[in-house]
Amino acid sequence: MITNDQGIVSLKHKILEEVARLAWNDNLTEEAKDALVYQLIPGPIAQYRCCIYKEREIVRQRIRLAEGLCPTADPDQQSDNVIQVIRPACEECPISSYTVTDNCRLCVGKPCQSSCNFGAISIGHHRSHIDPSKCKECGRCAEACPYAAIAHLERPCKKACPSGAITYDEYGICRIDESKCVQCGHCIHMCPFGAISAKSYLVDIIREIKSGKKVIAMCAPATEGQFGADISMASVRAALQKMGFADMVEVGLGGDMTAAYESKEWAEALETGRKMTTSCCPAFINLLRKQFPQQFEENKSEIVSPMCAVSRYLKAVNPGCVTVFIGPCVAKKAESQDPSVPDNADYVMTYGEFRALLRSRDIELKPVEEGYQEATIFGKRFAASGGVANAVMECMQERGVDTSQIKLRKCAGPKECIQAVTLLKFGKLPEDFIEGMYCPGGCVGGPSKHKAENEIMRAREGLLQKAEDRKVLENLEQYPMDKFSMYRDGRMA
């Protein structure tokens, strides 16, 4: 029986794996996809929903997401948003946020009913009742109840959303307000029914590989430690090459590139008294763009993220290549599609999708003896909170800038990011620079992390101890930095 979050994740990844197998075999036909539905949900007994018909519809919609499509073909439900709602899976959640429990004692004074200004509360035989169509979720009834009999059932997806982007229609189905959604993906694993998911581009990536194009993977700095202490970047590179990728480059190199160029900006800003934010985390950038537009224009770094930096580097030295980012971040999918940042990654896959792709080719990650390092330890540490700011400071020091008086604010998680930018907006930020990372702990705590964060960090430290002792600017002398732009709009320095 599939009854918990692990079961939901397993089903989602199984669908990704099987869709990828069909794509590798050039068999992604409607007949094959329909057969997959019945293979996964054979019946006649439902495994985790009320009936096999709902289960099959959910699988059909997940297959569409695995193809990079919206869950249904309904023209009214099409969206460019990376994060999507599978409506049949969302129907199990309660409609009402406030509900009366068995603690109700039917008080003679009826304080709950008296406190409600909307006529939403009626008195039944055994307890009071709240009409969800009239309830405005003000919470006054819960405050008035002397027995604490009225519970506030905040739905997990809404509770997880830091941007206030989630509301519900008249049927209680989740709606995502795209004008507020920062595509962080925090809601995805919080939904106990797996009703929120992200579009996948595995099918497109497979088609690019099969077409004979030079497809190059780019692995996020957070990769080291995700798969255990004995799986290095070289291990991942070997597996990707076996799968058909032309090569792999670690995005820690892009961290070096970004830090080197942001350090120039920081030094100039320091002289003029301008406060700045980093630009590496796409969810943080979306937060600025959508909720703090003035700070987006005035305070954000104009340097590209490490993912974009490596993509531009690869496209400069390998014209016509296709770049694929692999990491723990859902928001990177939205970043790759941002038309204001040209030559970014062509596709993005999460670690869950990467593992499904490996299984679709029966490939395992294995330890290898060969060493592989292109990034300094500073670029590699971009994945953890404080890593970006430390790398930028290192570059400033390498250039001879006195950093002793610089004050940094390192933010990890939505609450810290929103608080810092709000202070910046009202001119009350005491620090000079903000490092904004939207996931707790930084990228290593991203929504598609493979293991618990403490496990990742333990394994990661052992791998990072093997990093070569190189300075950032010294490392970049090996690369043609004059052949591509490090600015978001693509202009050359």
Side-chain angles (χ1 to χ4, degrees):
M1 294 287 287
I2 300 174
T3 57
N4 52 34
D5 180 64
Q6 186 57 46
I8 292 168
V9 172
S10 296
L11 176 64
K12 178 173 71 173
H13 289 178
K14 182 63 175 176
I15 292 170
L16 287 169
E17 175 188 340
E18 295 302 326
V19 169
R21 286 185 191 275
L22 293 175
W24 286 117
N25 295 327
D26 295 319
N27 191 30
L28 206 54
T29 63
E30 293 304 317
E31 293 80 6
K33 287 185 284 186
D34 200 47
L36 176 57
V37 171
Y38 283 84
Q39 173 190 328
L40 294 172
I41 310 295
I45 299 173
Q47 299 178 62
Y48 61 102
R49 284 294 196 277
C50 59
C51 65
I52 59 171
Y53 308 107
K54 177 175 281 191
E55 292 182 355
R56 286 170 180 166
E57 178 57 25
I58 291 170
V59 170
R60 287 189 181 95
Q61 295 198 16
R62 283 204 173 278
I63 288 173
R64 287 182 58 85
L65 283 172
E67 295 180 273
L69 304 171
C70 290
T72 75
D74 185 342
D76 295 330
Q77 295 182 31
Q78 300 306 295
S79 164
D80 291 331
N81 212 51
V82 167
I83 298 173
Q84 297 282 318
V85 177
I86 302 170
R87 291 177 64 87
C90 190
E91 294 171 354
E92 305 294 336
C93 261
I95 294 176
S96 178
S97 289
Y98 285 89
T99 188
V100 182
T101 69
D102 288 338
N103 286 341
C104 179
R105 290 294 175 265
L106 294 175
C107 303
V108 175
K110 304 174 184 176
C112 58
Q113 190 176 53
S114 301
S115 69
C116 180
N117 295 328
F118 309 104
I121 296 181
S122 60
I123 307 300
H125 291 295
H126 303 290
R127 70 176 80 168
S128 298
H129 295 280
I130 299 174
D131 184 344
S133 66
K134 296 179 180 179
C135 178
K136 303 301 181 184
E137 301 183 9
C138 65
R140 290 179 182 174
C141 59
E143 294 174 3
C145 178
Y147 291 101
I150 299 177
H152 183 204
L153 301 179
E154 188 174 14
R155 287 165 66 164
C157 56
K158 189 171 185 177
K159 186 175 182 180
C161 179
S163 309
I166 291 181
T167 56
Y168 308 102
D169 65 16
E170 64 270 31
Y171 304 106
I173 304 297
C174 174
R175 282 181 173 174
I176 298 176
D177 185 342
E178 295 178 23
S179 69
K180 296 180 179 179
C181 178
V182 300
Q183 318 255 17
C184 64
H186 290 178
C187 58
I188 292 176
H189 288 294
M190 288 302 296
C191 176
F193 298 101
I196 305 178
S197 196
K199 294 178 181 177
S200 172
Y201 304 103
L202 292 188
V203 171
D204 296 303
I205 295 166
I206 291 168
R207 286 173 178 160
E208 299 280 23
I209 293 173
K210 288 177 67 65
S211 72
K213 292 182 182 178
K214 191 171 188 177
V215 182
I216 305 176
M218 308 181 297
C219 280
T223 303
E224 288 180 296
Q226 291 286 336
F227 307 105
D230 57 348
I231 300 300
S232 63
M233 282 289 191
S235 302
V236 177
R237 188 186 194 191
L240 286 162
Q241 289 174 331
K242 187 176 181 180
M243 193 186 302
F245 283 82
D247 202 354
M248 185 217 81
V249 175
E250 62 170 326
V251 176
L253 170 63
D256 288 341
M257 294 173 175
T258 296
Y261 279 76
E262 278 199 3
S263 67
K264 294 180 182 179
E265 279 189 319
W266 284 26
E268 293 170 3
L270 202 60
E271 292 180 1
T272 61
R274 175 189 171 208
K275 296 179 186 289
M276 289 189 62
T277 77
T278 55
S279 61
C280 300
C281 172
F284 178 70
I285 293 302
N286 287 338
L287 171 74
L288 294 178
R289 180 187 284 116
K290 295 185 177 184
Q291 298 187 24
F292 298 90
Q294 184 176 349
Q295 285 61 52
F296 177 80
E297 295 296 334
E298 296 179 1
N299 304 104
K300 172 188 85 311
S301 168
E302 287 302 311
I303 304 305
V304 297
S305 71
M307 175 179 83
C308 184
V310 172
S311 179
R312 287 182 178 179
Y313 154 63
L314 290 173
K315 291 179 179 183
V317 298
N318 299 280
C321 75
V322 175
T323 55
V324 179
F325 177 82
I326 303 171
C329 182
V330 173
K332 283 293 185 186
K333 294 185 179 186
E335 180 193 337
S336 71
Q337 299 171 4
D338 185 351
S340 69
V341 188
D343 293 324
N344 212 326
D346 294 298
Y347 303 104
V348 169
M349 75 169 97
T350 63
Y351 290 135
E353 292 166 341
F354 170 54
R355 288 184 288 123
L357 195 62
L358 288 172
R359 290 194 301 272
S360 75
R361 299 298 280 171
D362 300 317
I363 296 172
E364 296 182 5
L365 291 171
K366 298 179 180 179
V368 298
E369 294 297 328
E370 173 195 359
Y372 166 76
Q373 291 188 30
E374 291 197 64
T376 67
I377 187 62
F378 301 99
K380 289 175 178 289
R381 290 195 183 279
F382 254 57
S385 176
V388 178
N390 291 342
V392 175
M393 295 282 279
E394 164 66 20
C395 291
M396 293 176 77
Q397 292 165 10
E398 288 181 23
R399 287 196 172 94
V401 178
D402 180 10
T403 62
S404 60
Q405 301 303 310
I406 292 178
K407 292 183 287 185
L408 300 174
R409 193 179 187 102
K410 302 172 184 179
C411 305
K415 185 177 180 180
E416 292 183 7
C417 289
I418 292 170
Q419 182 182 55
V421 181
T422 300
L423 289 172
L424 176 63
K425 177 180 178 178
F426 291 105
K428 296 184 180 298
L429 182 76
E431 292 83 11
D432 302 301
F433 304 107
I434 297 174
E435 178 196 89
M437 304 187 85
Y438 220 63
C439 291
C443 300
V444 291
S448 186
K449 58 183 178 291
H450 181 49
K451 295 184 177 182
E453 189 180 331
N454 59 341
E455 291 183 79
I456 296 169
M457 294 304 291
R458 283 198 301 269
R460 181 175 171 77
E461 281 308 308
L463 290 165
L464 294 186
Q465 287 177 9
K466 300 175 183 177
E468 296 173 8
D469 185 18
R470 296 196 301 267
K471 295 293 185 181
V472 177
L473 301 183
E474 172 195 352
N475 190 44
L476 294 184
E477 291 176 0
Q478 306 175 65
Y479 298 93
M481 301 302 297
D482 60 334
K483 300 298 183 183
F484 57 95
S485 172
M486 283 295 295
Y487 292 90
R488 289 174 63 84
D489 60 8
R491 71 181 186 272
M492 298 300 291

